[in-house]
Amino acid sequence: MGELAIVGLLSTGGSAVFNMYYERDIDAKMSRTRNRPIPAGRVSPGAALIESLALSLLGFALSYVWLGLWPTIFVVLGWFLYAIIYTVLLKCRSWSNILIGGVAGNAALLAGWTIARPLDLEAFLLSMAIYLWIPAHIWSLVIRAKDDYSRTCIKMLPLEMSEEKAMIMVALLNVFSNVYMLLLYILILKNLIGLIILLITAAWSSYYSVKAIIKPSREVFWQMFKQARLY
């Protein structure tokens, strides 16, 4: 529904701007992020913070008015987990940041779910598809940009082990995520056209995992990262 799309755009946009505001010094050290608006000097930190709060609070208010209490609880929870727990408290303190902050992905699905139906096991299982996808997606980027991340305080699991072990671990996690999504689709969603599309994208995604295991390289994980965004 359109109201949920608007609320999602505002709340996730607000949390993303907050992330860029809080990590502006980190972004300036990384070639991948130094051209973002704040470190590049196109937007002042104060203006970014105001924008973040305005977008977020407007999203929360519209969520409560349009969608009700339960969706709003999950919208706010998702924002808090990403902006405060992940960005502020954990990202530079523990490699478990993704495992804890990734629950924000569950909250996004559950916000939509509670508009139509009460929470149940099916909702939890479907939300776990997002939770399992997030670490493989982010850690594949970390492997690709390892030199960048190593110049910052950010803690990520691939930085805590040998590169070879990290590549195998992330590749296997990506395959597991793909298999989990396929099982959910077969057992719960049961739509033939959607299953065909998912089979194609899962095979495409898993191809890079197999390639990474056979002949690991940072470039393979860059391809995995880009493909996972579509998946």
Side-chain angles (χ1 to χ4, degrees):
M1 54 193 299
E3 292 89 348
L4 179 61
I6 294 171
V7 167
L9 181 65
L10 290 169
S11 60
T12 58
S15 66
V17 176
F18 182 84
N19 175 273
M20 293 186 195
Y21 160 78
Y22 189 81
E23 295 186 351
R24 59 192 183 276
D25 294 336
I26 293 174
D27 286 346
K29 297 177 182 178
M30 301 174 68
S31 59
R32 186 179 63 86
T33 55
R34 64 172 56 127
N35 288 321
R36 285 178 175 175
I38 301 176
R42 298 192 299 274
V43 175
S44 70
L49 180 60
I50 292 172
E51 178 187 356
S52 168
L53 295 176
L55 290 173
S56 303
L57 293 174
L58 180 59
F60 300 160
L62 290 178
S63 178
Y64 185 76
V65 172
W66 287 345
L67 308 177
L69 178 60
W70 273 106
T72 303
I73 288 174
F74 286 111
V75 167
V76 174
L77 179 63
W79 189 98
F80 182 77
L81 284 166
Y82 178 74
I84 305 302
I85 301 299
Y86 172 68
T87 298
V88 176
L89 298 180
L90 294 178
K91 202 166 183 181
C92 284
R93 290 183 173 89
S94 171
W95 63 262
S96 65
N97 48 37
I98 290 293
L99 302 181
I100 299 172
V103 180
N106 299 62
L109 185 143
L110 296 174
W113 185 277
T114 53
I115 294 173
R117 293 171 58 180
L119 290 176
D120 56 19
L121 179 60
E122 184 176 333
F124 173 76
L125 293 175
L126 287 173
S127 73
M128 287 302 297
I130 303 174
Y131 181 80
L132 292 173
W133 169 85
I134 289 173
H137 180 57
I138 297 300
W139 288 340
S140 63
L141 174 63
V142 173
I143 291 173
R144 169 63 169 75
K146 185 175 181 179
D147 295 337
D148 253 358
Y149 278 91
S150 297
R151 289 194 289 269
T152 72
C153 64
I154 295 175
K155 305 290 185 182
M156 290 288 173
L157 186 57
L159 303 178
E160 305 293 321
M161 60 178 66
S162 70
E163 188 164 317
E164 182 180 356
K165 288 182 179 179
M167 287 180 174
I168 294 174
M169 178 198 68
V170 174
L172 291 175
L173 179 59
N174 188 58
V175 171
F176 179 77
S177 172
N178 295 338
V179 171
Y180 182 82
M181 291 188 194
L182 284 170
L183 287 175
L184 282 183
Y185 219 99
I186 292 170
L187 296 174
I188 296 177
L189 300 178
K190 299 177 182 178
N191 178 279
L192 181 59
I193 296 176
L195 180 59
I196 292 172
I197 294 172
L198 188 63
L199 278 169
I200 294 171
T201 54
W204 187 16
S205 176
S206 298
Y207 162 76
Y208 289 112
S209 291
V210 174
K211 190 174 181 180
I213 293 172
I214 295 174
K215 191 176 181 181
S217 71
R218 293 185 183 182
E219 186 58 34
V220 172
F221 283 90
W222 179 235
Q223 297 300 322
M224 186 187 300
F225 172 78
K226 291 190 293 184
Q227 192 282 331
R229 289 184 296 182
L230 299 175
Y231 190 42

